[in-house]
Amino acid sequence: QVQLVEFGGGLVQAGDSLRLSCATSRRTVEILNMAWFRLAPGKEREFVAGVSANGRNTDYGTSVKGRFTISRDGIKNTVYLQMNSLKPEDTAVYYCAAVQSISTYINTGVSSYDYWGQGTLVTVSS
């Protein structure tokens, strides 16, 4: 069983930066592909960013590409999401997700992930 706990959400202004953290109960250098999703009011859960277990592959949703960066720290068993140039439309509950996989391919579908955190709210004011 993998437990995920997110940290770092809050209220910021447009243009600000924020870093989210996802602490895992297992070593992320093991076979865990990790990802961030977000859920905004009235919308479906959206893929934000993903990183393969070996850290060599990353992928980003179209709306955040160039502004957000996902990274992992195998020693701290933590995955990060650095969010820059935040916009009001980035307001959402952000969820960390994980799946055991030996593939470096990063799935972007919600159903591809087996483990989820409780979510952390990010609010961006205009």
Side-chain angles (χ1 to χ4, degrees):
Q1 188 72 15
V2 176
Q3 293 182 331
L4 307 174
V5 181
E6 300 99 335
F7 301 94
L11 173 63
V12 297
Q13 293 185 333
D16 285 352
S17 297
L18 199 62
R19 188 176 78 161
L20 305 182
S21 302
C22 174
T24 67
S25 59
R26 290 180 57 178
R27 290 169 54 88
T28 57
V29 295
E30 294 180 351
I31 49 172
L32 285 177
N33 284 2
M34 305 290 294
W36 288 94
F37 287 78
R38 66 186 182 187
L39 181 62
K43 296 185 178 181
E44 296 185 351
R45 195 168 297 199
E46 175 190 17
F47 173 81
V48 176
V51 60
S52 60
N54 61 12
R56 295 177 184 173
N57 285 4
T58 58
D59 194 12
Y60 296 91
T62 302
S63 61
V64 307
K65 197 168 294 185
R67 299 187 297 124
F68 291 11
T69 303
I70 189 170
S71 62
R72 50 179 277 286
D73 185 328
I75 296 176
K76 295 182 178 179
N77 299 337
T78 301
V79 174
Y80 303 98
L81 183 68
Q82 178 66 43
M83 305 185 293
N84 298 329
S85 302
L86 283 162
K87 305 175 182 180
E89 50 265 42
D90 293 319
T91 295
V93 177
Y94 284 72
Y95 296 90
C96 180
V99 60
Q100 293 186 3
S101 175
I102 60 174
S103 171
T104 57
Y105 175 76
I106 297 170
N107 287 292
T108 61
V110 171
S111 60
S112 299
Y113 292 84
D114 298 319
Y115 306 103
W116 293 84
Q118 81 289 349
T120 185
L121 176 62
V122 173
T123 304
V124 184
S125 64
S126 57

